[in-house]
Amino acid sequence: MSVRKILLLTRHESISEILPSLSKFGDVTVLTDDLKIKLPEVKVHFDIGVSFSYAPIIDKIVLDTISFNIVNVHPTFLPFGRGIYPILWSAVLGKPQGASIHLIDGGIDTGSIYARTEVKLNEQNTLEQCREILISKAKFLLLDNFNSIVCGELRPTPQTDFGPRQDYRSREEGLKLLSNFPKKWDTTLKEVAEFGKFSGDF
């Protein structure tokens, strides 16, 4: 079997979190999120693309043109927590926390799910601690299922099979919500959940 070619889409500060493990599966080309993915950059054939803490939205025209799938490593229990700051939104809305691997389909965290797991978090964990826990769980999900995903042995399941599609939350909405917490990412899950109980609709 030839060496797999993997396109890793990530941010500079997250490269060390995923690259060493992903390199065990083949040759990895890294594209960081300060360079938005464009067609000339994906003319080389890849076997799979992996999005890991990659902020830019990948254009539908790119997805329709390339010959390989791109999967996203997402630190929440989809279909809950679509968009940015998913852990914060799941906490304030009282939704399950977890980790998911899903196909990127042109929507924002709407793609079919390869694997997901619910994670029970300690309510005294800060949002930053939760992020570390859930991104680690999501990375494990990716690595544990990587060969099956690349070979097509694991088929993704549409999110609608897991329940109604959840609302997408934008960066602006997330920043507005976060402004209610002076400690920002050092706020505990309990503090976020209590705020959610007494603050009405979001």
Side-chain angles (χ1 to χ4, degrees):
M1 181 172 160
S2 59
V3 176
R4 291 195 178 104
K5 292 185 177 180
I6 304 163
L7 176 64
L8 173 60
L9 308 171
T10 190
R11 56 183 184 172
H12 281 287
E13 55 268 41
S14 296
I15 292 175
S16 61
E17 288 184 86
I18 186 67
L19 184 57
S21 298
L22 204 55
S23 295
K24 297 175 183 176
F25 293 95
D27 290 337
V28 182
T29 298
V30 179
L31 182 65
T32 54
D33 60 5
D34 54 337
L35 300 170
K36 189 175 180 182
I37 185 171
K38 297 176 182 176
L39 284 175
E41 294 157 345
V42 293
K43 293 270 181 162
V44 176
H45 174 76
F46 291 97
D47 296 299
I48 191 171
V50 173
S51 172
F52 185 87
S53 299
Y54 182 74
I57 304 302
I58 301 173
D59 295 337
K60 186 73 162 57
I61 189 170
V62 172
L63 295 171
D64 289 343
T65 303
I66 60 179
S67 60
F68 57 95
N69 290 331
I70 302 177
V71 298
N72 187 41
V73 180
H74 195 62
T76 195
F77 192 62
L78 289 174
F80 307 107
R82 290 181 51 229
I84 198 164
Y85 307 147
I87 299 166
L88 173 63
W89 282 108
S90 292
V92 81
L93 296 172
K95 302 298 184 182
Q97 298 279 6
S100 306
I101 305 300
H102 72 90
L103 182 68
I104 290 183
D105 66 353
I108 300 177
D109 301 327
T110 56
S112 296
I113 297 171
Y114 282 102
R116 67 176 190 157
T117 184
E118 186 173 354
V119 179
K120 300 296 183 184
L121 296 167
N122 188 315
E123 66 178 6
Q124 297 304 324
N125 284 339
T126 66
L127 292 170
E128 180 59 31
Q129 289 169 334
C130 291
R131 188 262 176 197
E132 292 176 6
I133 292 168
L134 295 181
I135 204 71
S136 177
K137 293 285 187 182
K139 183 177 79 169
F140 175 80
L141 270 184
L142 172 71
L143 301 176
D144 195 44
N145 292 284
F146 189 84
N147 287 324
S148 296
I149 292 173
V150 176
C151 295
E153 297 170 357
L154 181 60
R155 299 290 182 181
T157 301
Q159 288 196 32
T160 51
D161 286 10
F162 298 105
R165 176 173 287 181
Q166 303 295 305
D167 290 339
Y168 158 72
R169 304 292 179 168
S170 68
R171 179 181 295 274
E172 291 73 24
E173 290 174 299
L175 289 173
K176 182 178 179 181
L177 176 59
L178 189 62
S179 69
N180 292 285
F181 305 106
K183 293 188 291 183
K184 303 301 181 190
W185 302 111
D186 287 326
T187 306
T188 66
L189 277 188
K190 183 177 182 179
E191 291 169 329
V192 175
E194 288 179 347
F195 175 85
K197 289 177 184 176
F198 301 105
S199 300
D201 296 331
F202 294 94

